[in-house]
Amino acid sequence: MVHGLLFSVSGIFIKTLVQDIDIFKQIFYRTAFSVIAITTIYKPKFSECFNVKALPSSGSRGIFGFLGVSSMFYAITELPLTIAMTLTLTTPAFVMILGHSSITEKIQLRQFSPAF
């Protein structure tokens, strides 16, 4: 419930700030804040971050994460807030369905309650 509440508050801020700050600047600021917060909290060893074996998965995660955040911000700015937040909060359900259909991941019954 806290997750839903915080994302809803985030959606309200995105919707109100779009009048002053365009969507691409908002995405940049969110990404910059995330990078600063992660490096401050976790203090990763950069040699581990750039492991040759992890680069393809890290790169694809970065690309798809950027596309996901951009899509969420765009939906919030263009759609009514209630519809945009409903779509955003159904992401876990779509991830389960896509994971099952694309990489034949097994879905257990206990995974359904948190996703829906």
Side-chain angles (χ1 to χ4, degrees), residues 20-21 42 60 72-73 84 91 109-110 112 116:
D20 299 326
I21 304 172
Y42 293 111
S60 64
M72 181 186 79
F73 276 55
T91 301
L109 236 58
R110 63 187 170 100
F112 278 106
F116 295 101

Side-chain angles (χ1 to χ4, degrees), residues 85-115:
M85 292 313 297
T86 302
L87 290 173
T88 300
L89 294 174
T90 58
T91 301
F94 289 118
V95 169
M96 286 176 60
I97 293 166
L98 287 172
H100 177 70
S101 63
S102 65
I103 58 174
T104 61
E105 188 175 84
K106 295 189 187 255
I107 301 174
Q108 299 174 357
L109 236 58
R110 63 187 170 100
Q111 293 172 315
F112 278 106
S113 63

Side-chain angles (χ1 to χ4, degrees), residues 17-80:
L17 285 177
V18 79
Q19 298 165 358
D20 299 326
I21 304 172
D22 70 344
I23 187 173
F24 298 109
K25 287 181 183 176
Q26 287 186 33
I27 294 168
F28 173 77
Y29 293 142
R30 183 208 183 266
T31 305
F33 177 76
S34 296
V35 167
I36 291 169
I38 288 170
T39 54
T40 302
I41 294 170
Y42 293 111
K43 298 179 182 151
K45 296 180 182 176
F46 286 102
S47 60
E48 293 175 7
C49 294
F50 295 107
N51 185 351
V52 176
K53 293 179 182 176
L55 281 179
S57 63
S58 295
S60 64
R61 183 173 189 261
I63 291 168
F64 287 115
F66 172 76
L67 290 174
V69 168
S70 300
S71 299
M72 181 186 79
F73 276 55
Y74 181 75
I76 291 172
T77 58
E78 296 298 320
L79 296 172

